[in-house]
Every structure is written in C-alpha cells, then in structure tokens.
Amino acid sequence: SSACDIDISFTGLVSVGFGSHLQIWRDVFSGDRPKKPYMTEEYPGRSVTSLRFRPTEDVLGVGHSDGFESIIVPGAGLANIDTWAANPYETSKQRKEREV
C-alpha cells in the first residue's frame, strides 16, 4: 500500500505511515540507502492517518482510525537547554565582567 503520511524530524528521522504500519527510518539523507527501518510499529485493525514529530522532543504523534497515540522515538528531537541563565556556558571571567 502507498504512504498515507510522511514527516521528517529536526534530526532527519523519517516517519512513514501506510495502512496499519508505521516505519521510522534513520540516515535516509546520508547517501547510503538504509537496509531496514530504525523502528517499526503496528496498529492491527486500525489505519494510520497522520504523523507529526514534536520539534524539540523525542516524541512522534500518530493519528489513526481509533484516535491518537504518542510514541517515544530516541534521537528525534533536538537537544534543548532549558535554563533561566542567559549563557549556561558562561565562564567565571565572563560572569565577573557581566556583574560589573
């Protein structure tokens, strides 16, 4: 069957939904054609209708004929530093200069 939806994560993982199947492929854009999917998921008795990666998280939303599910996909999201500091890599010298 043909793909009903495709989505690409910020890190280049490609999710493909077709029929009751979901496949996630890694290194699709690297030049070498991957031999097998990075991950697969089956939804017996349901058909996959939509796929969307969360931009900064390792989560893929999967819409199907019975509703919606989220699955964890390691490596799909960009690393995001969640901090109140303006520069989390600030050296002590930079901190002293800023405080002056």
Side-chain angles (χ1 to χ4, degrees):
S1 72
S2 62
C4 71
D5 201 9
I6 298 172
D7 196 27
I8 302 171
S9 76
F10 276 0
T11 59
L13 296 179
V14 177
S15 63
V16 181
F18 55 99
S20 63
H21 310 284
L22 165 65
Q23 293 182 345
I24 300 167
W25 294 82
R26 181 171 50 184
D27 302 327
V28 172
F29 305 108
S30 67
D32 294 333
R33 188 173 182 177
K35 304 263 188 271
K36 61 180 185 170
Y38 172 56
M39 290 178 66
T40 61
E41 188 71 31
E42 298 292 326
Y43 297 93
R46 298 176 271 183
S47 54
V48 176
T49 58
S50 61
L51 305 167
R52 290 297 174 267
F53 281 105
R54 298 273 306 165
T56 58
E57 300 176 15
D58 291 345
V59 176
L60 175 66
V62 181
H64 52 71
S65 56
D66 281 346
F68 177 84
E69 293 183 25
S70 296
I71 62 171
I72 304 294
V73 182
L78 288 176
N80 185 20
I81 298 171
D82 187 17
T83 180
W84 291 95
N87 181 0
Y89 303 107
E90 186 174 59
T91 65
S92 59
K93 183 178 180 183
Q94 290 171 328
R95 186 171 32 258
K96 288 177 188 174
E97 289 296 320
R98 182 178 46 84
E99 292 174 357
V100 170

